[in-house]
Amino acid sequence: MIRLGVDAMGGDFAPGNVILGAIDALSCMDSETELVLIGDSRCITEVCRHYGVDSGNFVIVNASQKIEMGERPVEAYERKKDSSINIGFRSLAEGRLDAFASAGNTGAMLVGSVRTLGLLPGIIRPCISALVPLFNGQNMLILDVGLNTDARPEMLCQFAVLGSLYAKTVMGIARPRVALLNIGAEPGKGDSTTAGAYRMLEKGGGDFDFVGNMEANALFNGGMADVLVTEGFVGNICLKQTEGMYELIARLGVAHPFFKRFNYEYYGGTPVLGITAPVIIGHGVSTPVAIKNMILEAEKVVRCNLVSRLKDALAIENKGV
């Protein structure tokens, strides 16, 4: 039995979109997977009734508080002990859940990930990733895309390790190719952080192939790398630019299968990498389709034992240092 916790109050359009997404996810999940909705139990029951769905399809855990999207993450997480996010993390840490997913306050999700769950041994900072569609039909993983707006060279190297392990475990790539996002393809380009990371990565030693620097104009071409490493400030800008491009193309009425893959809804959410239990973060504006896919991503991460495999691989990595 897999128990997936979902923050029913998380996101700009919660709880309606969250519950609709959870309803849609039920028909796609394994029969042995149980959905636990965390939030205002009366509100959850009323929304289920409104859409003609039996709330008994879910396990409902009441939460009397909600962390709003605009609240200061640390302060809100510490003050609102009975919030849906806080309860979700405590339930996960205590083994009552196998994964926790939310489209709510990203900062509060990071606080819970670090303070309640903790980091895997040797990890400096956790990160989040995103899948970028490539013209060759494949996807490329880019990380970090928002958690760490300032990074050191050794952090970028850890992102390379975490990203390559995700690519192997979830994307099924036996020997991932890892590139470093930079302003030039030549070695030595960029600031001291990227130049330092390049020198460390080119020494090798990880279970991946470092293929050098990649410029942003090659971002969607495909063929060079499976994993693209950057710090969260630049990564988030790349991600938001990609989302904005999709919205513009949709408004222009351009219909092409490649551009449809830029729709964030179909990726749903992404796991926080480097922590001790599976946590999935979704987009704040998530539609029911996005919520459904966030939940299915959580189930996938649990089934492939991503966290355990990361822990084992990092233990080998750290032993070799």
Side-chain angles (χ1 to χ4, degrees), residues 4-10 15 18 35-41 44 58-65 82-92 96-97 99-101:
L4 303 179
V6 180
D7 176 13
M9 315 310 290
V18 178
L35 274 185
V36 181
L37 300 184
I38 306 169
D40 184 327
S41 57
I44 293 171
F58 309 104
V59 174
I60 299 175
V61 175
N62 186 60
S64 63
Q65 296 175 306
D82 202 47
S83 65
S84 51
I85 287 180
N86 214 309
I87 291 174
F89 276 108
R90 290 204 308 274
S91 299
L92 183 58
R96 287 178 280 121
L97 294 176
F100 177 53

Side-chain angles (χ1 to χ4, degrees), residues 230-261:
T230 185
E231 45 86 16
F233 184 86
V234 174
N236 191 263
I237 289 174
C238 286
L239 181 62
K240 296 293 174 60
Q241 184 181 37
T242 301
E243 293 174 354
M245 184 178 70
Y246 168 76
E247 292 175 3
L248 178 60
I249 289 171
R251 286 169 57 190
L252 291 173
V254 178
H256 190 283
F258 173 63
F259 293 120
K260 289 181 180 179
R261 292 172 57 217

